[in-house]
Amino acid sequence: MEALRFTAQVLGFSVSSPRSMEKKFDKKFTWVIKDFSSLQSVNILSDIFVVRGCKWQLNAYKGNKVQNFLSLFLEVAGYGSLPSGWRRHARFRLIVVNQRSETLSRQLEGQNWFEEKANGWGFQSMLSLDEINAKDSGFLVNKELKIVVEIELLEVIGKVDVNGFHLLSSEVESVSRMFEKHPETASEVHLKNPNLRTGYMSLLLSLIDTLCQSPHKLPKDDLGEAYYALESLTDAGFKLDWLEKKISQVSERKEKEKDGEIQCQAVKTALQGAGVRALVDERDNYACGWKYADWEMKGVPLRIELGPRDLEKNQVRVVRRDTGAKMDVLRVDLVEKVKDLLEVIQRDLYDVAKRKLEECIQKVETWDEFKEALRLKKLVLAMKQELRLDVLL
């Protein structure tokens, strides 16, 4: 049996058992045909389902393609409205489910290009109608026939229709996710021209990408243009309350970041005025933890952190390099506290170094003690002038 398109041209296919389901598919769709035996239609169409923005449906024939056989095809739904030159490359598996024993299900697999002249692929002799209608065959249960299709979309050429917008394949996932989260976004868009609809959708995607940037990196002009773009999209009928809220949040965060930068510079100026060397790390391409470690390796004794909560409380957080101790200090007390801490750190470091030096000094009075001290890598202090360190020849 061969995978056929409607022009009857043969391409490759494979027949596999229901248990060989190792390969993953993007989508699984189940179609239940009720009162299958009594249906007199030439062909039966399933509901439309979507795989990565591409619309599909199943088409079943009862003995019309091949006498006394169920013919089953996978089709691109609404292909007539797609832009010229569209193509879809897909791997698919069609399964007529045996509802009493999965191992007896009938399944066939194909991998084909779907295009304008070949919008559907499938199998003319999927399963004999006698086998389907046989008593206790397991294919008909309560007069219902169950069909499953699994699809892996391998490649998409041309634009894809998503809610009436013609999109590039790279845009499908983000737009589909947006419509899932905000289904009313384009429900009142009054534009009929497909090119204009696509243009406005591109503007919306660009606006979303802009707002996904860090507020620190977002120029003030871009934020102003974002409001202008939002107004244009709203005038076209888009419902973007959720996006307007996002712009307001970004604007508020940007104002807070700007205020934080001003306050950081104020702290730096105050410390420098008191004779303390200070620097504001304005690098935005490194995480905070990376910058902390960078300055610790350089030996900077104190780190001062200033965040949104610190701004609200008019304080800063001071972290000692030598002990890792953290303390919150009011801004009015910061200069004196830093000067005191630097003296304390200097004294503590000196005391630790002095103690370690003294622990490394060993007093000796005999040759054996001298040799033992050297073995232990100690600094040797000879206490008696008459101690002779003769070397035996």
Side-chain angles (χ1 to χ4, degrees), residues 224-256:
E225 291 176 358
Y227 279 107
Y228 179 77
L230 179 67
E231 184 179 354
S232 299
L233 289 164
T234 303
D235 290 342
F238 286 88
K239 290 185 176 182
L240 299 172
D241 293 344
W242 55 274
L243 193 56
E244 184 177 7
K245 182 179 178 181
K246 175 67 175 178
I247 295 177
S248 298
Q249 291 174 345
V250 171
S251 180
E252 183 179 348
R253 285 181 58 191
K254 189 165 182 63
E255 288 299 321
K256 287 183 177 180

Side-chain angles (χ1 to χ4, degrees), residues 82-87 116 157-158:
L82 293 176
S84 179
W86 68 269
R87 298 185 76 198
E116 292 180 62
I157 295 178

Side-chain angles (χ1 to χ4, degrees), residues 293-325:
D294 185 41
W295 288 111
E296 287 178 4
M297 288 189 293
K298 292 177 180 178
V300 174
L302 279 179
R303 181 177 78 243
I304 298 176
E305 302 171 6
L306 183 60
R309 293 181 182 178
D310 298 312
L311 289 173
E312 293 176 1
K313 298 178 181 180
N314 199 27
Q315 66 181 28
V316 297
R317 171 157 290 188
V318 179
V319 184
R320 289 179 56 167
R321 176 184 183 273
D322 60 328
T323 64

Side-chain angles (χ1 to χ4, degrees), residues 39-86:
L39 289 175
Q40 301 299 320
S41 303
V42 174
N43 67 305
I44 312 164
L45 290 174
S46 73
D47 292 336
I48 293 174
F49 57 96
V50 180
V51 181
R52 288 168 50 189
C54 297
K55 296 179 180 179
W56 305 84
Q57 65 182 155
L58 292 173
N59 196 348
Y61 296 82
K62 290 177 58 180
N64 303 94
K65 292 287 183 180
V66 177
Q67 187 174 5
N68 204 38
F69 269 86
L70 171 70
S71 301
L72 191 59
F73 296 88
L74 174 66
E75 300 178 4
V76 175
Y79 62 90
S81 63
L82 293 176
S84 179
W86 68 269

Side-chain angles (χ1 to χ4, degrees), residues 242-340:
W242 55 274
L243 193 56
E244 184 177 7
K245 182 179 178 181
K246 175 67 175 178
I247 295 177
S248 298
Q249 291 174 345
V250 171
S251 180
E252 183 179 348
R253 285 181 58 191
K254 189 165 182 63
E255 288 299 321
K256 287 183 177 180
E257 285 194 0
K258 182 179 179 181
D259 186 38
E261 292 172 1
I262 293 173
Q263 296 302 322
C264 284
Q265 293 297 333
V267 170
K268 171 187 170 183
T269 301
L271 291 171
Q272 289 178 335
V276 178
R277 286 188 298 170
L279 180 142
V280 177
D281 191 337
E282 297 179 311
R283 295 175 293 178
D284 58 8
N285 56 331
Y286 293 108
C288 291
W290 191 97
K291 291 192 284 188
Y292 295 164
D294 185 41
W295 288 111
E296 287 178 4
M297 288 189 293
K298 292 177 180 178
V300 174
L302 279 179
R303 181 177 78 243
I304 298 176
E305 302 171 6
L306 183 60
R309 293 181 182 178
D310 298 312
L311 289 173
E312 293 176 1
K313 298 178 181 180
N314 199 27
Q315 66 181 28
V316 297
R317 171 157 290 188
V318 179
V319 184
R320 289 179 56 167
R321 176 184 183 273
D322 60 328
T323 64
K326 301 178 181 180
M327 61 198 78
D328 295 326
V329 180
L330 292 175
R331 290 276 298 279
V332 294
D333 301 327
L334 179 61
V335 173
E336 291 302 319
K337 185 65 174 179
V338 166
K339 292 171 69 176
D340 290 344

